[in-house]
Structures are given as C-alpha cells and as structure tokens.
Amino acid sequence: MKKIALYTMMLGLGSLALTSCGDAMDEITSVVLDRDFAPIGLEAKSATENSITLEWTKSHDDVTYTVEIFADDSLAFAGSATNTFTGVEATKLKIIGLVYDTKYSARVMTIDNADASRNSKWSNVFFRTSAQQIFETPTENDIADRSVIMTWPAGEAATTVRVYVDDNLVKEQPVTADEVNEGKVVVTGLEPETAYTIRLYNGEKQRGSKDITTIADLNGATLVHEGDDLGELIANAEDGQVFALYGGTHIIADAEEEGKASAAKVYKSIIIKGIYPTNVPVVKGRFEIYDGASLEINQVIIDGVDNSTTDQAFNFKTAGVTYPLLSVQNSEVRNFGKGVYYFNVEATVNKLEFNNCLIHDIVCDGGDMFDCRKGRIDELNFLNSTMYNSAAARDFIRYDDASKLGGSPVITVDGCTIDGCANGGKRLLYVRYVGNSIVWKNNLVTNTGAVWSNQSKTGVPEFQNNAYFNCSKLNVLDGSDGGKTNLFIDENGKAVDNPNFKDAVNGDFTIGNEDVSKLGVGDPRWNK
C-alpha cells in the first residue's frame, strides 16, 4: 500500500510538471493569508525631551495603522495607553507631547480596511525620551574650590542634585522648596581641581546636566579681583599668605605715577596663583624680593608691557640672607626689558625653578636673560618650558663666580624648546661659578647663532638626547687651539631638519616634522 501511494503521488507530480510546461499560467502576485503581516522594521528614532519618531515598513495597500504609546513601561503594555493614534496611513509618525527622561513602550498594528478580522498582531518597540537641560552654564564666579552654584529658571520643579565623577555617584543633595522658587542651589562638599558632572532631578527624571571643574584650593587664600591693589596686598602680606587671582588684568601700581606699573615688594613668603585655567590672570609689573622671602607663582601671566622701567621680572634685593625658593609654574613671563631674574647681592637661593612656562620677548637691554652676578643659586631648574625671541645680543644663562659663598651649584635644563635666543653670537652658558655642574637633556634648540661657552670655569654639561636645527656655531669647535669660542660641544647631539613649527611667530611651536617629534625632545606641550 505504501508503495502504491508513493507511486500515485509521484505520478501526480509528474502530471503537474507536464502541465506547467505545456500550459500558460497566471503569474502569482500575492499570497492570501489568514491575517495581515504585523509592521516590520519598527524603529524609534530622533528622541527628544518630548517627542519620538516611529518608522516601519509598509506591508501592502489598503491598510492603515493603529499606534499605542505606554508611559513608564518596558514592553509590558500594562494599563491604558497614554497616547493612541488610529487611521494612520503613513509609515512614519512623529509623536509629541511626551514627558522628558521617561521610558516608553510603543506598538503598531496593521489594520485591514476591507476585513477587520485580518488585522495583524502588534509590533513593539521600546525607547526613552531625552533628559531635559534646564541648567544654566555656571560662570567663573559660580565655581569655587569646594562648591559650585547651579541655577535654572525659577520655579521649575526639582528634588535632588546628584554629583558624579567618571559616571560614579559621589554625592546626592536634596533641593529645598526655597531653592526651587529661586532656581539656585549651592552644591557643597566638592574637592579642589576635580572634574564633576552635576545633574538635576525631579524624582527620577533628569532635568539638567553640566560638567564643571573646581578651581585650585582656596582654603585660607586671599581672593584678588581685577581692580584690587595687588602691590599693596603683597607689601602688607603675612608670612605664608596665598593670593588667588581672578582672571583679568592686575596692575602693580606705581605709587608716584597713576596708571604706570611698577614693582611689588615681597617681604614675606607668599604664593600667587590664578584661579581659573581658562582665564589666566595677567599681572602687569615686576617683583622685588627682600629679607629672604620665598615667592611661588602658579598659573599667572607676568607681563612687562607698559612697565615704566626696563628692569627684570624678578630682582633679589637683600644681601646676607638665604632665599628658600623662587618657583614659577604653569605661567608665562613676557615683554621685559632687562631680563627674567637678577641676583646681584651676596646671598643664597636654595632653589630657583621655572616649570611648564612660556618665556619670551625678553629684550635684555643692560642685563642677561637669566642673570646671577653676586649670589649663589644652589639648584637652578628650567623644566618643560619654551623660551623664544629673547636676549638677541646677550647671554642666555649667566652665572658669575661668587664661589667665596661656597657650595656647588647645579643647573638643569630639561625638556625645553629654545628658539631664537642669544642669537647675536653670545653664549647659552656663561657660567663661571667654580664647582658648578650642568645637566642639559631632552632639549630642542633652534635658530640661534649662539655658542656654548668660552669660559674655562663652565662645567662641561652632562648632555643627553638633544636636537639642534639652524645652530651654525653651537656645536662647532672653531680655532686652531681647539675652541676659542666653544670649549666643548654636545658630541652626541642630533642635527635635525626643520622641525616645521606650526606658528613660531605667534608662539606655537607644535612640531610638524615627524622625524623630530619622535625624538622626544623639547617642551612636551609641542610634541603631539
């Protein structure tokens, strides 16, 4: 029986095949099913605070669509729809009037206009509307070292502020009714110099988000605004006082001539620092240091423009004392007539350091760029800094012999870009203090006619990983006696092709020559 049945089925198929080959049949253009297809390719796109756009693919003609939206729902479709749309003919629908930062479920059904019994099943999609942004951007004066003032339109509802570091919740602070009415809350308990994300919530719905970075530590600092008498504040300072400067221009006023800049007289050990890295304060004037005081400067521009004298930016004035520290960090020193510092008294500086600084347009009329005459600097450091367009006719580092004061000074120049300095054929190292030692490493020296030194007292530097471009005299031992102008050279220094600085005229020394860049020389900020 099984064999006969199988034979009969095969015979039938064969007959069908013969018929298909011999007779013309109508082309099949549609398949009639029990119900219409559910919408395919359903997507939720372009979510905003209060809208969403739904899109899907059209199934066939003579249908419309029903769309239902459920709020605070994750494809459960529980309860009643918050929005229902019927008779939708298009396959793209923008829905407005939704609530911000809310989970929604949407479903779409194909409606057969000829036979309702053939309506499709639902196609589903889940989405979330965007969070609101009603926070106003904090001003510089709103951001402190341990707090920030956050504002939004008065009366807009809020319950909580949450504080995040790298998406980790670190603080939650309730918002009071009074704060809602005012549209302002002071977020406290933050840490200095830390990046935060501040978010505003109404219940669990986010209404605002802003990234901020707290400023330098102001604990115990004296806040100095533009227009305050910085010179007088410094002259009357207490030992250890910290002056935190807001952005703007701070003129060290001349006591005798209004509008002119003069010298701040530093009698006590003080710190001067800028508050905002995005708005670095400009100090017009210079500093005279007395009585063994220390001076630390961080994130400040020290500008000699409009200075009524051609003096140095820093001048040590009292003999017979020890100055613990002169430190200039993350700053800019520019436009001075005589030089950067001047040490012409019999005294000692334990440490003098410039780190991550820009130093430029130092004329050196009547002085050298870094100038020590009668004193002793035990540790002299130039680190990760750029010096350019300076000391056209004078020496770069001058350090005269005051060895009767004893000691063994150490000079370190590490990771610096030095361009167009001492270009008139003078010396980079006019060092005569007996017993000195010099470290010169990771530096990029360009566009100078300078020599190293013709002084027998200059210690031969410890050279390491330096590069030179367009330095015609620097690494040349000229003269039949082995060096009338150069008593030593950097034997392992690399002569390189043009570094192709991005915009040296305007102080951008970003290296464009990849071969130079990979050497890892010069101020690190330019080696990108």
Side-chain angles (χ1 to χ4, degrees):
M1 292 295 293
K2 291 181 180 178
K3 289 182 178 180
I4 295 172
L6 177 61
Y7 175 79
T8 303
M9 182 178 70
M10 292 179 65
L11 181 61
L13 290 173
S15 300
L16 177 61
L18 291 172
T19 303
S20 298
C21 291
D23 299 330
M25 295 182 66
D26 292 336
E27 180 183 359
I28 298 175
T29 59
S30 63
V31 177
V32 178
L33 302 175
D34 289 340
R35 65 193 311 171
D36 289 327
F37 287 116
I40 60 174
L42 177 60
E43 293 184 281
K45 297 181 177 181
S46 306
T48 69
E49 295 177 15
N50 56 17
S51 70
I52 192 71
T53 297
L54 300 178
E55 292 187 32
W56 59 92
T57 300
K58 186 177 181 66
S59 53
H60 60 89
D61 294 333
D62 198 27
V63 296
T64 58
Y65 301 94
T66 293
V67 179
E68 292 184 345
I69 309 294
F70 292 74
D72 297 311
D73 186 275
S74 299
L75 299 179
F77 301 101
S80 301
T82 55
N83 303 77
T84 300
F85 305 88
T86 59
V88 177
E89 297 182 352
T91 57
K92 182 176 181 179
L93 177 65
K94 183 174 183 178
I95 302 167
I96 61 174
L98 304 180
V99 179
Y100 64 90
D101 197 18
T102 300
K103 296 183 296 183
Y104 284 94
S105 297
R107 61 186 186 182
V108 182
M109 176 187 289
T110 303
I111 305 299
D112 192 308
N113 294 330
D115 184 355
S117 67
R118 294 174 49 77
N119 292 351
S120 77
K121 295 182 179 180
W122 294 101
S123 289
N124 307 326
V125 70
F126 169 83
F127 65 90
R128 189 181 192 118
T129 48
S130 301
Q132 281 191 318
Q133 180 56 283
I134 65 171
F135 261 156
E136 295 162 352
T137 300
T139 67
E140 286 183 346
N141 290 340
D142 291 331
I143 304 173
D145 55 345
R146 291 172 171 82
S147 65
V148 59
I149 299 171
M150 303 300 298
T151 60
W152 64 94
E156 288 286 345
T159 58
T160 312
V161 167
R162 293 174 185 165
V163 182
Y164 297 81
V165 175
D166 296 329
D167 289 327
N168 296 313
L169 179 64
V170 296
K171 178 181 174 63
E172 186 167 333
Q173 181 175 319
V175 178
T176 68
D178 289 341
E179 289 168 336
V180 168
N181 291 336
E182 190 177 0
K184 181 173 78 172
V185 62
V186 180
V187 182
T188 58
L190 308 182
E191 294 295 325
E193 298 182 84
T194 304
Y196 292 101
T197 299
I198 313 293
R199 293 174 182 160
L200 181 69
Y201 287 86
N202 185 27
E204 291 302 313
K205 299 184 186 303
Q206 184 177 311
R207 302 210 67 185
S209 179
K210 289 289 182 181
D211 294 330
I212 65 105
T213 299
T214 49
I215 61 176
D217 191 350
L218 297 181
N219 187 28
T222 299
L223 302 182
V224 184
H225 296 81
E226 190 174 28
D228 290 345
D229 193 334
L230 179 60
E232 183 179 3
L233 290 170
I234 292 173
N236 297 321
E238 297 178 358
D239 199 48
Q241 191 163 357
V242 177
F243 296 98
L245 278 56
Y246 285 97
T249 300
H250 302 261
I251 299 175
I252 300 174
D254 190 304
E256 298 181 356
E257 190 167 350
E258 186 177 353
K260 282 192 176 181
S262 185
K265 300 183 185 300
V266 181
Y267 295 101
K268 302 292 184 179
S269 295
I270 61 172
I271 297 173
I272 301 172
K273 61 185 180 182
I275 294 176
Y276 301 109
T278 55
N279 189 5
V280 179
V282 178
V283 174
K284 290 193 174 183
R286 52 193 176 85
F287 298 88
E288 293 178 353
I289 310 172
Y290 295 83
D291 300 344
S294 286
L295 175 59
E296 298 178 57
I297 293 178
N298 187 14
Q299 202 171 268
V300 174
I301 297 171
I302 305 167
D303 195 343
V305 166
D306 300 328
N307 196 337
S308 59
T309 76
T310 57
D311 212 338
Q312 291 86 353
F314 305 96
N315 197 331
F316 296 91
K317 304 295 286 188
T318 305
V321 298
T322 296
Y323 297 90
L325 178 66
L326 170 59
S327 172
V328 184
Q329 307 281 330
N330 311 306
S331 295
E332 184 175 354
V333 182
R334 66 192 187 194
N335 303 318
F336 280 90
K338 280 191 176 181
V340 177
Y341 65 75
Y342 191 52
F343 195 13
N344 196 35
V345 293
E346 291 186 2
T348 299
V349 176
N350 289 341
K351 184 177 180 180
L352 198 163
E353 180 171 283
F354 292 87
N355 181 34
N356 194 33
C357 290
L358 302 174
I359 305 173
H360 60 96
D361 295 289
I362 310 298
V363 177
C364 298
D365 181 7
D368 297 287
M369 188 163 177
F370 303 105
D371 200 337
C372 181
R373 303 289 179 103
K374 296 180 181 179
R376 185 185 84 218
I377 305 171
D378 289 329
E379 186 180 347
L380 177 58
N381 298 329
F382 302 93
L383 310 173
N384 308 312
S385 295
T386 300
M387 302 85 158
Y388 64 97
N389 192 34
S390 296
R394 298 299 295 248
D395 295 302
F396 185 65
I397 296 176
R398 176 171 179 165
Y399 199 144
D400 286 350
D401 188 11
S403 54
K404 64 182 180 180
L405 298 175
S408 301
V410 178
I411 302 170
T412 300
V413 184
D414 184 359
C416 292
T417 296
I418 302 169
D419 180 76
C421 292
N423 196 30
K426 301 294 281 187
R427 294 150 292 209
L428 289 184
L429 298 171
Y430 183 31
V431 180
R432 299 187 292 175
Y433 198 109
V434 174
N436 71 84
S437 59
I438 303 170
V439 177
W440 188 281
K441 62 182 181 179
N442 305 316
N443 299 307
L444 176 59
V445 183
T446 57
N447 302 313
T448 180
V451 299
W452 284 112
S453 180
N454 60 359
Q455 302 296 305
S456 61
K457 295 178 182 178
T458 304
V460 177
E462 175 191 330
F463 287 115
Q464 181 182 337
N465 189 39
N466 302 295
Y468 306 91
F469 168 72
N470 192 27
C471 301
S472 59
K473 300 178 181 179
L474 196 56
N475 285 315
V476 177
L477 285 173
D478 58 341
S480 59
D481 59 356
K484 290 183 178 179
T485 57
N486 262 338
L487 294 180
F488 55 81
I489 61 172
D490 183 355
E491 296 181 356
N492 295 316
K494 302 174 182 67
V496 297
D497 292 333
N498 193 333
N500 296 325
F501 295 133
K502 186 175 182 179
D503 188 5
V505 173
N506 293 304
D508 186 343
F509 290 88
T510 301
I511 297 173
N513 183 327
E514 185 176 350
D515 290 335
V516 177
S517 179
K518 68 184 180 182
L519 296 175
V521 294
D523 187 336
R525 82 188 75 200
W526 311 122
N527 206 343
K528 300 177 181 178

